[in-house]
Amino acid sequence: IWGFSKDFGCAGWRVGVLVTENSQVNSAVRGLVHPSECSTDTVNMLARLLSAPGVTASYCDAHRRNLAHAYGSLTQSLIEAGIDFLPNTSGLFVLLDLRKHLPTPDEAGEDALWRR
C-alpha cells in the first residue's frame, strides 16, 4: 500500500495504490473502492506524472532534499526549545515527548498543555 499524500508528500491528494495477489484482501477491499474512486482527471495527471521519463526520480530527489532541510530546521528549533523528540530516518512525522511539560501526568495535564 502506498499513497501520494504520504509517500510523495502531496498533501490533499487522497489517492493510494494497493498491490496484492491475496484474493481475501482483494475481496475485502473491492467493496470499499467504488464509493471512493478518484476522478479521471486525477488518475490521468498521476499516470502522466509517474510515466514521464525522469520526472518521478527528479521529484523524489527534490522532495527528499526539502524534507531533510525541514527536518533539520524543525529538530534544531525543538532542541533550542528544550522539547524532546524521537529522531526519525523516514516519513513526514516527528514524535514529540512532551511529558516533562505536563503540569500533571494525566489527561487533565494533557488538556492544560494543549490549551496553553
Side-chain angles (χ1 to χ4, degrees), residues 101-115:
H101 301 280
L102 294 172
T104 58
D106 55 15
E107 191 174 331
E110 291 176 9
D111 189 55
L113 180 61
W114 173 255
R115 294 179 188 284

Side-chain angles (χ1 to χ4, degrees), residues 4-114:
F4 284 89
S5 183
K6 299 290 186 282
D7 295 327
F8 283 81
C10 298
W13 290 20
R14 303 291 185 243
V15 179
V17 176
L18 169 67
V19 178
T20 183
E21 293 180 11
N22 184 316
S23 60
Q24 291 177 316
V25 171
N26 277 326
S27 294
V29 172
R30 192 169 291 121
L32 303 172
V33 174
H34 183 69
S36 59
E37 291 178 357
C38 57
S39 72
T40 304
D41 291 336
T42 301
V43 171
N44 185 32
M45 178 180 63
L46 296 176
R48 287 191 345 227
L49 171 71
L50 292 175
S51 63
V55 171
T56 303
S58 175
Y59 175 84
C60 288
D61 288 343
H63 185 60
R64 198 172 294 114
R65 284 191 306 273
N66 291 339
L67 273 177
H69 176 73
Y71 179 78
S73 296
L74 173 64
T75 55
Q76 183 60 40
S77 295
L78 291 171
I79 291 167
E80 291 170 5
I83 298 174
D84 295 330
F85 61 92
L86 295 176
N88 72 5
T89 57
S90 64
L92 302 174
F93 303 97
V94 175
L95 298 176
L96 306 181
D97 181 356
L98 299 173
R99 289 177 289 185
K100 70 181 182 183
H101 301 280
L102 294 172
T104 58
D106 55 15
E107 191 174 331
E110 291 176 9
D111 189 55
L113 180 61
W114 173 255

